[in-house]
């Protein structure tokens, strides 16, 4: 590839795209909300939230010096991240803390990029993160999920028009922001029924002596805050 070709790709990657129509921002947000609130679409799309959730565990495990054993994604939209290290202490606590807040915080980062009209850059960062996660997957369904998701993002970023890229990026970021909130409510519902005794919140309670309900509340505050700030950033198109 010539130097001019490399330069063109770089300019495409880091350059800002035109402001999206206000209606696009609004309709993608409403579409994402409809997916989050309806049973079957949520059941299908929730896998993206699981990918982000387990990625959050994995990232915090690596950042705190734990040895990452692998990630498993399951067809029921559950997941498992295994790491080795001290079973107690700050590193383990942060690793547990990273899961439920990851989708919303990733969505917030995406909203910040979209506020600067960096749509293509957002899509390529997503591709790189997914490829990094693929190396850590340890089961067939997980590999299939990551490959299909990566392929879809790549196809949109490379072959689709600027308008289609914008729809895809805004819908994805809205979904992460909105979809990050619902699992926290589901978590507390299952805990109240006694059906999830080893949840992240309960494991954190065992490590810190802070009640599990407080940790659930913390997840909720962080995710609702990310939704509010992310929504403001995405809504800057209205200003």
């Amino acid at each position: 590839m010539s130097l001019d070709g490399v330069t063109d790709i770089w300019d495409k990657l880091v350059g800002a795209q035109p402001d999206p129509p206000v209606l696009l921002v609004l309709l993608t947000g409403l579409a994402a909300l409809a997916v989050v609130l309806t049973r079957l679409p949520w059941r299908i799309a929730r896998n993206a939230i699981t990918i982000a959730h387990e990625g959050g565990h994995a990232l915090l495990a690596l950042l705190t010096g734990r040895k990452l054993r692998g990630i498993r994604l399951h067809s029921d939209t559950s997941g498992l991240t295994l790491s080795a290290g001290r079973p107690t202490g700050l590193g383990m606590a942060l690793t547990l803390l990273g899961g439920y807040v990851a989708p919303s915080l990733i969505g917030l980062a995406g909203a910040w990029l979209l506020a600067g009209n960096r749509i293509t850059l957002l899509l390529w960062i997503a591709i790189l993160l997914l490829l990094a996660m693929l190396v850590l997957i340890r089961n067939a369904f997980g590999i299939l999920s990551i490959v299909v998701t990566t392929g879809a993002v790549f196809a949109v970023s490379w072959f689709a028009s600027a308008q289609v890229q914008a729809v895809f990026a805004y819908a994805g970021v809205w979904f992460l922001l909105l979809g990050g909130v619902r699992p926290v409510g589901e978590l507390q519902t299952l805990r109240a029924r006694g059906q999830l005794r080893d949840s992240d919140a309960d494991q954190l309670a065992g490590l810190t002596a802070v009640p599990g309900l407080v940790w659930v509340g913390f997840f909720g505050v962080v995710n609702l805050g990310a939704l509010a700030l992310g929504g403001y950033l995405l809504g800057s198109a209205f200003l």
Side-chain angles (χ1 to χ4, degrees), residues 106-116 122 173 177 226 229-231 233-234 236:
I106 293 171
L108 179 58
W112 177 73
L113 287 171
L114 290 181
L122 168 65
V173 168
L177 289 170
L229 181 54
L233 290 171
L234 295 176
S236 61

Side-chain angles (χ1 to χ4, degrees), residues 11 20 42 71 75 86 113 126 132 145 165-166 170-171 183 187 192 196 239:
D11 289 342
W42 169 248
I71 300 171
S75 59
R86 288 182 57 195
L113 287 171
S145 296
Q165 288 186 19
Y170 273 87
L187 167 65
L196 203 62
L239 303 177

Side-chain angles (χ1 to χ4, degrees), residues 44-45 47-49 51-52 73 123 126-127 130-131 141-156 168:
I44 297 170
N47 192 57
I49 300 298
I51 291 172
L73 303 173
L123 296 176
I127 291 171
L130 287 165
L131 289 175
F141 180 82
I143 291 173
L144 178 63
S145 296
I146 298 295
V147 168
V148 169
T149 304
T150 306
V153 178
F154 174 77
V156 170
F168 187 87

Side-chain angles (χ1 to χ4, degrees), residues 97-165:
L97 194 63
Y100 276 97
V101 299
S104 295
L105 293 180
I106 293 171
L108 179 58
W112 177 73
L113 287 171
L114 290 181
N117 291 339
R118 297 301 196 275
I119 295 173
T120 303
L121 180 60
L122 168 65
L123 296 176
W124 274 85
I125 289 175
I127 291 171
L128 292 176
L129 291 174
L130 287 165
L131 289 175
M133 192 169 177
L134 179 60
V135 178
L136 303 169
I137 299 295
R138 297 294 182 265
N139 67 320
F141 180 82
I143 291 173
L144 178 63
S145 296
I146 298 295
V147 168
V148 169
T149 304
T150 306
V153 178
F154 174 77
V156 170
S157 68
W158 195 255
F159 300 110
S161 66
Q163 291 79 10
V164 172
Q165 288 186 19

Side-chain angles (χ1 to χ4, degrees), residues 7-213:
T7 302
D8 288 343
I9 292 175
W10 178 254
D11 289 342
K12 178 182 178 181
L13 180 62
V14 301
Q17 284 71 48
D19 288 332
V22 171
L23 188 60
L24 182 150
V25 179
L26 179 60
L27 290 180
T28 52
L30 291 174
L33 180 61
V35 170
V36 171
L37 294 180
T38 50
R39 187 182 184 90
L40 181 59
W42 169 248
R43 173 66 177 76
I44 297 170
R46 195 184 194 280
N47 192 57
I49 300 298
T50 303
I51 291 172
H53 179 113
E54 299 306 327
H57 283 314
L59 178 61
L60 266 296
L62 291 173
L63 290 177
T64 56
R66 297 180 63 80
K67 185 174 182 180
L68 200 57
R69 298 292 191 187
I71 300 171
R72 300 177 70 88
L73 303 173
H74 304 129
S75 59
D76 63 355
T77 72
S78 65
L80 179 65
T81 299
L82 296 174
S83 62
R86 288 182 57 195
T88 59
L90 182 61
M92 187 65 209
L94 290 175
T95 298
L96 290 168
L97 194 63
Y100 276 97
V101 299
S104 295
L105 293 180
I106 293 171
L108 179 58
W112 177 73
L113 287 171
L114 290 181
N117 291 339
R118 297 301 196 275
I119 295 173
T120 303
L121 180 60
L122 168 65
L123 296 176
W124 274 85
I125 289 175
I127 291 171
L128 292 176
L129 291 174
L130 287 165
L131 289 175
M133 192 169 177
L134 179 60
V135 178
L136 303 169
I137 299 295
R138 297 294 182 265
N139 67 320
F141 180 82
I143 291 173
L144 178 63
S145 296
I146 298 295
V147 168
V148 169
T149 304
T150 306
V153 178
F154 174 77
V156 170
S157 68
W158 195 255
F159 300 110
S161 66
Q163 291 79 10
V164 172
Q165 288 186 19
V167 169
F168 187 87
Y170 273 87
V173 168
W174 274 120
F175 178 70
L176 287 171
L177 289 170
L178 292 162
V181 175
R182 177 167 173 172
V184 179
E186 294 175 340
L187 167 65
Q188 184 53 32
T189 298
L190 291 173
R191 290 183 71 252
R193 295 173 181 171
Q195 297 176 344
L196 203 62
R197 298 183 183 279
D198 62 345
S199 70
D200 294 351
D202 291 292
Q203 291 183 65
L204 281 165
L207 288 174
T208 64
V210 176
L213 182 59

